[in-house]
Amino acid sequence: MDVPTDPRPGDLPEPVALTAGDTDVGAHRWLPDGDHLVAVSAVHPGREEDLLRDAVVVDARPGADGPTAPRPLTDGAGTSTLAVDTVLPSADGRTLWMLASDQGPTRLEFVASQTGLFSLDLTAASPVPHRRTDVDAVDLVPGLLAVAGDEVLVADQRRGAVVLVALPADVAADVAPADAPTGRVLVDSPAVVQAVAAAPDGGRIVVTAAAPNSAGDVLAVDASSGTTTRLTDLSADLRATGRIRTPRELTATAPDGYPVHGWVALPDADRHGAGPHPVILMIHGGPYAQYTHALFDEVQVLAEAGYAVVYGNPRGSAGYGRAHGTAIQRAFGTVDTDDVLALLDAALADPGLALDADRTGVMGGSYGGYLTAWLTTRTQRFTAAVVERGFLDPVSFVGSSDIGWFFGLQYLGDNDTPDAAGALAAQSPMAHVGDVRTPTLVIHSENDWRCPVEQGQRWFVELKRRGVDTELLLFPGEGHELTRSGRPRHRVARFDHVLQWWSTRLPT
């Protein structure tokens, strides 16, 4: 709709629908002509059976007959295998920049499918997307995309950091992804870039980024010099308490020689003594995600209570290349298990950390809940465990999770043949629940549609009826994101229960 230059109450025109039908249209941006938008939508016929999304054009000024269907710019109906996430036109409207991942021949191969930068020539009669970043080494954060003068700004996940990279916008269209320029790093590790915006001429760049001592601040970046100026200091009051514990980077070697990267956060020796300290191994969800350098409330709360926290990015995680991410496909509970235990053992073996190898716990959420539960089926070394919003039975998960039936089938394999059923059971905590002896707190949310509540309830019941020391904590009205965006009172209550559990099973 056209907005008046001097609007008054009641004078605003009625909004006009630009799209119709049963397809979602999102991530829209205006084209310079002011008559069209570019956006992302799954408009191809097979959209109910695959993960593809197209870049589309939407007419911003529909005629008397109403909105027209979005016109695809990429070819999900034909040869394209891209899931487009983010679109941004150049200032002259000739090029469309896209963040997208390749879903492979089956159009479902999302496991560690690296998000890359693509360009599309909007002046071509049949535009073809060209990948501008390496398909194996570069994994960009969806949604973080800006054009600054003759450069394109993206955020790359790298070894626990998210760095801001400026890539040249004039790369030849036929360049091989492996030969694509690596660009200029404008905001480097240990920063964790969260958002980016830029003036079209590239003179002004603003980002938000977290750091080991900051949950997130606004930074101004000078593109020519690379100088960064912090414009806010929102964590100053927290730092002023003197109680932020800065984690130390930790490296370990898995039994097969593979390097594993992580961190250890130690409690304040002035308040909790010199040790040896009890240790909690913390495992992230995903699995294709990464723990980062950013200030992390989970780690800080446990360290404040007197626990050393070991956490890292085992194989299956993001930020270390495609091969690292795909290493656990059809192999949950194998090398990922080796990697997290290698991190823990490396920390325990370091005399400078003063950790107590006889007092260790393990906790994790989502996939981290999976691996926590899995570890308790494999070993009795842990004093206690916390299994949160866990992915615990891949069989029932396929039919009940909102992530889609494809997730378990792509990661663990199908269950349609006797051989496949055996392979699936070999990766399933529920299939081995009878081996658990570790005291376990099960935490779940009643409205969790990602890892449905039946996963946690059944884990609790199976432990309870086998005589394992276990408790169940259920949160009403919360979903899978409780620990990140749940109601503040519920987040506080959860921390209270977690600390109470550890204080009785693993006292400091």
Side-chain angles (χ1 to χ4, degrees), residues 112 114 135-137 258 288 315-317 320-328:
Q114 311 278 87
V135 68
D136 293 315
Y258 194 85
Y288 196 60
R315 274 170 280 189
S317 304
Y320 301 77
R322 178 174 172 80
H324 186 91
T326 58
I328 62 169

Side-chain angles (χ1 to χ4, degrees), residues 80-132:
S80 174
T81 55
L82 293 183
V84 180
D85 177 88
T86 310
V87 291
L88 180 64
S90 61
D92 60 9
R94 298 175 61 86
T95 302
L96 183 66
W97 297 101
M98 305 185 301
L99 298 180
S101 57
D102 192 333
Q103 302 300 301
T106 68
R107 303 184 168 202
L108 291 169
E109 296 165 23
F110 71 95
V111 176
S113 179
Q114 311 278 87
T115 297
L117 177 67
F118 291 76
S119 65
L120 199 68
D121 182 358
L122 295 180
T123 67
S126 300
V128 177
H130 294 280
R131 191 173 193 125
R132 305 299 193 178

Side-chain angles (χ1 to χ4, degrees), residues 276-296:
H277 303 292
V279 186
I280 296 174
L281 173 64
M282 184 179 290
I283 307 172
H284 68 64
Y288 196 60
Q290 64 167 352
Y291 278 138
T292 71
H293 297 278
L295 183 69
F296 187 22

